Amino acid sequence: MTKRICWCGAHELQTFSAEYARCSDCGTLVSLVGLSDAELQVSNDEADFYGRQYWLEHQSADLGFPSIFQRSRNDLTDRNLHWLRTLLRYRLPPAKVLELGCSHGSFVGLLHLAGYESAGVEMSPWVVEYAKKTFGIPISVGPVETLEIQPESLDVIALMDVLEHLPDPVGTMAHALRLLKPDGLLLIQTPQFKEEMKYEELVSTNGAFLEQFKSDEHLYLFTQDSARRLFSQLGAEHIVFEAPMFPQYDMFFVVSKLPIATAPEGAIDEALASTPGQRFVQAMLDLEGRVRSLDNQIKTIDADRAERLDQINKLTAMVHERDVLLQERRERGILGRAFKK
């Protein structure tokens, strides 16, 4: 356990919960009980927190997630395609992409198939070997600060559910920006804390964001404003927020030192038509788009069905109420005639 100050340097923290405090300056949630910087490193793959057992036991036994073996299959058909679709809008292949904290490596593998020169970084030697074997991709044992990467050599660095784990987000993100070309991009998914959130209300309503309170590893939970502030002070003032895969608790955004441009119409289809692998990726994106369209249609149908059922229930109640009133009137009428006799 370590006593942390906020990434922004502020020492004044306001009480939020037993395990988190809110920075009075930037609004970020700061873990009060997270592991120390030394405990977050992996020197012993069998015993350290982010070592082998993090992937084989902690993720499923403690957090209730599918196993890494299931995730390496499932992630390809949902979140990986969502991330790729967004990346394609901002940086077409071929481009050099590095994913920090790439886990089982499926996103790196998909990027490779889509025509990117992709590689990944992970902390555990075991998961690095698993990713290499599973997807046939280059993965290095990190952290990224220890790797020999030429400055201004990368087009994109992706961090999916990584920023919140960093003990020194300022230092790591500054290093990442130095590795990017002048117009390079950071592609980031991270939990979005909202300043209006109150812990007691989240507990009483079983709010979705409760899942993000993993205080030993989620060290900093950013708001949109504090994320902007982090990158702005590092010279990356251009940021575009995109629709996250899980809007109930995440944010998803692109960051750059230079203005961010999107691919012209038709450029993505053209870029994915050069190789057989790219054509398979395009087909996966097409199928994912159809599934998403069907999901939206089903939601619309379900909402319409629910509204119609609500109307039917209201009408049924009105008819029942009318029948009760009519019955009462009939009974009063019968009683009235009986009294007259």
Side-chain angles (χ1 to χ4, degrees):
M1 185 185 301
T2 186
K3 176 67 175 177
R4 293 190 180 276
I5 62 172
C6 186
W7 66 267
C8 71
H11 290 260
E12 186 178 344
L13 302 177
Q14 301 170 341
T15 300
F16 181 79
S17 70
E19 297 182 336
Y20 282 95
R22 187 200 311 261
C23 176
S24 58
D25 189 4
C26 73
T28 303
L29 274 193
V30 181
S31 172
L32 300 175
V33 296
L35 300 175
S36 69
D37 293 4
E39 290 171 317
L40 295 170
Q41 302 301 313
V42 179
S43 55
N44 183 337
D45 201 28
E46 292 297 324
D48 291 337
F49 183 78
Y50 282 124
R52 182 172 179 267
Q53 297 310 315
Y54 180 83
W55 301 104
L56 294 179
E57 294 183 7
H58 176 65
Q59 292 275 301
S60 53
D62 298 334
L63 302 181
F65 294 155
S67 73
I68 189 171
F69 309 109
Q70 294 171 295
R71 289 285 298 272
S72 61
R73 176 179 179 178
N74 297 344
D75 288 355
L76 275 168
T77 57
D78 46 50
R79 65 187 65 199
N80 291 169
L81 289 172
H82 179 79
W83 299 337
L84 174 60
R85 188 183 296 278
T86 302
L87 177 58
L88 285 165
R89 292 181 56 229
Y90 294 104
R91 194 57 46 94
L92 295 171
K96 199 168 183 179
V97 183
L98 179 68
E99 184 185 7
L100 307 187
C102 64
S103 181
H104 45 66
S106 65
F107 186 45
V108 179
L110 182 64
L111 291 173
H112 176 76
L113 200 61
Y116 293 97
E117 184 181 345
S118 58
V121 179
E122 257 302 344
M123 302 288 286
S124 163
W126 178 86
V127 81
V128 166
E129 290 305 312
Y130 175 77
K132 286 179 178 179
K133 179 181 177 181
T134 304
F135 292 102
I137 48 176
I139 308 291
S140 301
V141 177
V144 67
E145 291 91 338
T146 65
L147 304 181
E148 294 184 4
I149 301 174
Q150 187 71 25
E152 298 190 0
S153 63
L154 302 176
D155 294 287
V156 179
I157 295 178
L159 300 89
M160 304 307 183
D161 302 316
V162 171
L163 184 63
E164 63 272 21
H165 293 260
L166 298 177
D168 179 16
V170 175
T172 301
M173 290 299 91
H175 183 79
L177 288 166
R178 286 193 292 271
L179 299 180
L180 290 174
K181 296 174 182 177
D183 65 342
L185 305 172
L186 294 172
L187 182 67
I188 297 175
Q189 174 179 288
T190 192
Q192 181 189 356
F193 175 64
K194 298 179 180 178
E195 292 190 359
E196 66 271 17
M197 287 179 175
K198 292 181 173 55
Y199 183 72
E200 294 76 14
E201 291 180 3
L202 288 171
V203 172
S204 65
T205 60
N206 195 28
F209 199 78
L210 287 173
E211 295 180 32
Q212 304 308 316
F213 294 143
K214 306 176 181 78
S215 56
D216 52 353
E217 52 186 305
H218 284 189
L219 307 178
Y220 297 105
L221 296 171
F222 290 82
T223 66
Q224 279 197 2
D225 286 342
S226 64
R228 285 182 186 274
R229 177 170 168 175
L230 167 65
F231 291 104
S232 179
Q233 77 176 44
L234 294 175
E237 298 182 353
H238 301 277
I239 184 166
V240 178
F241 288 93
E242 287 283 346
M245 182 78 188
F246 306 104
Q248 64 271 35
Y249 48 68
D250 273 343
M251 56 181 166
F252 185 40
F253 54 93
V254 181
V255 182
S256 181
K257 290 184 176 181
L258 297 180
I260 300 171
T262 55
E265 186 176 355
I268 295 175
D269 289 343
E270 183 178 347
L272 293 180
S274 300
T275 69
Q278 289 175 315
R279 291 181 180 276
F280 279 113
V281 170
Q282 181 66 77
M284 291 174 69
L285 289 168
D286 289 343
L287 286 172
E288 188 263 348
R290 292 173 196 166
V291 169
R292 187 155 30 89
S293 177
L294 287 172
D295 282 344
N296 290 334
Q297 291 180 37
I298 290 171
K299 289 176 183 177
T300 300
I301 292 169
D302 285 345
D304 180 70
R305 182 186 294 118
E307 184 178 352
R308 290 174 183 271
L309 180 61
D310 184 58
Q311 292 175 348
I312 290 171
N313 289 335
K314 288 179 180 178
L315 289 172
T316 301
M318 291 171 64
V319 170
H320 177 70
E321 184 180 350
R322 185 206 61 178
D323 290 344
V324 169
L325 289 173
L326 289 175
Q327 182 62 29
E328 289 177 351
R329 289 175 182 172
R330 292 193 192 100
E331 290 175 355
R332 286 199 300 270
I334 293 171
L335 288 172
R337 287 194 295 274
F339 281 128
K340 287 179 181 178
K341 290 179 181 180

